[in-house]
């Protein structure tokens, strides 16, 4: 049983040991969603990794088990800017292998209309 999610099938598997994902995208602003769960390890300090996007550190030395325990789904969202036509998301591991359950990338469009007058 995966806790903290209504989308259990999304977290029933993970990808481990990847070093980078690359997304070919037009220049612009994006919302990057990273979803994680620790399915393998039964203690802290057995897996620790960071996440970088476009060379900027988003998560440093993430230890899923130490923070939430096993089988607990978590999602992080970050605003990222792509200028070179490719979003690069890196997963350097300092202990064990990096892991991820899902990655989402959504274009962010600026709001060009002023809000309405309060009533």
């Amino acid at each position: 049983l995966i806790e903290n999610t209504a989308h259990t099938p999304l977290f029933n598997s993970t990808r481990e040991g990847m070093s980078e994902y690359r997304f070919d995208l037009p220049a612009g602003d994006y919302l990057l969603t990273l979803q994680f769960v620790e399915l393998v390890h039964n203690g802290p300090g057995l897996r620790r990794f960071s996440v970088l996007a476009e060379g900027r550190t988003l998560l440093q030395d993430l230890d899923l088990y130490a923070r939430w325990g096993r089988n607990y789904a978590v999602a992080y969202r970050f605003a990222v800017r792509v200028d070179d036509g490719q979003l690069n998301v890196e997963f350097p591991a300092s202990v064990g292998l990096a892991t991820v359950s899902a990655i989402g990338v959504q274009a962010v469009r600026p709001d060009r209309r002023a809000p309405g007058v309060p009533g």
Side-chain angles (χ1 to χ4, degrees), residues 35-52:
Q35 297 178 309
F36 303 100
V37 64
E38 180 57 70
L39 295 177
V40 176
H41 296 298
N42 287 313
L46 300 173
R47 179 194 315 271
R48 193 169 35 249
F49 62 97
S50 298
V51 178
L52 292 80

Side-chain angles (χ1 to χ4, degrees), residues 22-98:
R22 297 178 191 132
F23 301 91
D24 293 329
L25 301 168
D29 296 312
Y30 294 88
L31 179 65
L32 174 65
T33 303
L34 302 165
Q35 297 178 309
F36 303 100
V37 64
E38 180 57 70
L39 295 177
V40 176
H41 296 298
N42 287 313
L46 300 173
R47 179 194 315 271
R48 193 169 35 249
F49 62 97
S50 298
V51 178
L52 292 80
E54 295 300 282
R56 189 181 99 211
T57 301
L58 303 178
L59 297 169
Q60 181 74 40
D61 289 328
L62 181 61
D63 184 333
L64 295 166
Y65 190 95
R67 184 89 191 246
W68 297 281
R70 189 175 165 143
N71 298 335
Y72 192 85
V74 294
Y76 287 95
R77 291 181 178 87
F78 301 96
V80 295
R81 173 94 186 142
V82 174
D83 291 316
D84 61 358
Q86 188 175 76
L87 171 59
N88 301 89
V89 183
E90 301 171 69
F91 297 85
S94 54
V95 177
L97 300 172

Side-chain angles (χ1 to χ4, degrees), residues 3-23:
E3 297 180 65
N4 195 41
T5 184
H7 306 288
T8 300
L10 183 64
F11 295 93
N12 282 334
S13 65
T14 61
R15 165 78 41 103
E16 286 190 335
M18 68 288 167
S19 60
E20 183 178 17
Y21 281 95
R22 297 178 191 132
F23 301 91

